[in-house]
Amino acid sequence: MTNDTESLKEKTAKGLFWGGMNNGVQQLIGLVFGIILGRLLSPDDFGMMAMITIFTVIAVELQSSGFKTALANMEHPTDNDYNSVFWFNIAVSLCIYVILFFCAPLIAYFYDQPELTSLCRYVFLSFVFSSFGLAQSANLFKNLRTKQQAKSGMVAIIISNIIGAVMAWKGFSYWSLATQSIVYVLVITLMYWHYSDWRPSFHWDPEPIKRMFPFSCKIMFSAIFTQVNNQILNILLGRFFKPKDAGNYNQAYQWDYKCFNLLQGMVQTVAQPVFVDLKSDGERQLRAMRKLIRFTAFLSFPLLFGFGMVSHEFIITAIGEKWSTSASYLQLLCIAGAFMPINTLLYNMIISKGKSDTYMWNTLALGICQLILMLVLYPYGVRTMIIGYVILNTCWLFVWHHFVQQLTGYRRLSLLKDIAPFALCALGTMLLTAFITRGIQNLVLLLIVRVILAVIIYYLIMRIAGAQILKDCMQFILSKTKKQAP
């Protein structure tokens, strides 16, 4: 095995470790403050923010224009490449903000909520601030400096959540959520500047933008379609139902997102840089992807299926009876959430092969199917719409795989061998746990016992089955422990 191979393996392991640390800490902090905000604020407050989230995330993707991914996909990006992207992002973000500033009354009219005009103009400042840190973020991402990205994210989420919670306690309602999002962007941008060695110059060369744009624009459109796909229910519920309905769904979606993003963020940190480094050797690249898929499935299915199992106990215990409707929504969303990190790995492989057009059209197709399905189902109620959303997004795994198979020869049977054992073991674990604990009446006790019992049962099944991925994880943890021991 070559030194380069060892170096890449070490970088990947460290990337997963720090990516996991970052997302773990962020989700833990998000859990604590999510409970606090859920208790202090109402479904209507969350619904107000849910209605306009789609405009913010689309603006962010337009502003970044896919250049972070384009820079990561280059073998040796230059200072001039980063500098061009830096100034382009700032210019585009300012133009978009001006447009949305004057469109804010139209957004308020669409939802029939006059208060949204001022809220939009305030919240939309976040993507202007984020434009100043995108090139620095791309530099850290390209060089697999996951430790620095992790520290940036952890500091930002702690500060922003404290400010949001204090404002909610003081009675600022949905303004506390808006301020929380702005502060997070400001702090993480400053942290990226602190950790990144790259600095911009005042010379702007349009040539790198022209060279990267044919690739990056497809990433941009794909990212926009993805955000629309993710927010489609927030948009339609805000339009056709009451803010409370949008708030209940958004609360469930946010908890589901916190859970699956714990893994999705971890693998996203390393997937594309690793696949790009290995793209000259297709066999090694495929082996690396399959190992990452097994690792992800090993954690994703028990985590999301388990969260779905305890969703009722968790929601009622954590944020109160007023969110009971969200608990039933969360149980459904966790099914699709279990597959999201695996989808991330599959489409990152497609991007690493330079097929940004395939990624774009596939994402667009998902969005069109989803929109049509939601419009057909909305007369039957919110729950029916969520069921349709879950089924479609779960089945789309095989659409992503179809294109990966064409590019790499990764057969469907191999995919099923990589993920099905973990999915079945996780499902069996949760059913057994639910059966054993069915007689416990106290919600807090039931939540604690189910979590502990599920972890023990799943670990024992993996240990008895001799799962190689469990051995690899334990070996890595032990090696880190030995290195840190005095």
Side-chain angles (χ1 to χ4, degrees), residues 306 309-310 433 437 445-456:
M309 176 185 65
V310 300
T433 301
T437 59
L445 180 61
L446 180 60
L447 175 63
I448 295 172
V449 172
R450 281 187 166 178
V451 170
I452 295 174
L453 186 59
V455 170
I456 293 172

Side-chain angles (χ1 to χ4, degrees), residues 285-317:
Q285 189 187 50
L286 179 57
R287 285 202 306 268
M289 184 188 70
R290 291 190 65 181
K291 190 165 187 177
L292 281 171
I293 285 177
R294 289 193 294 271
F295 169 78
T296 304
F298 166 70
L299 296 175
S300 182
F301 288 112
L303 180 64
L304 272 297
F305 288 176
F307 195 34
M309 176 185 65
V310 300
S311 59
H312 177 74
E313 298 83 39
F314 172 79
I315 291 292
I316 302 304
T317 301

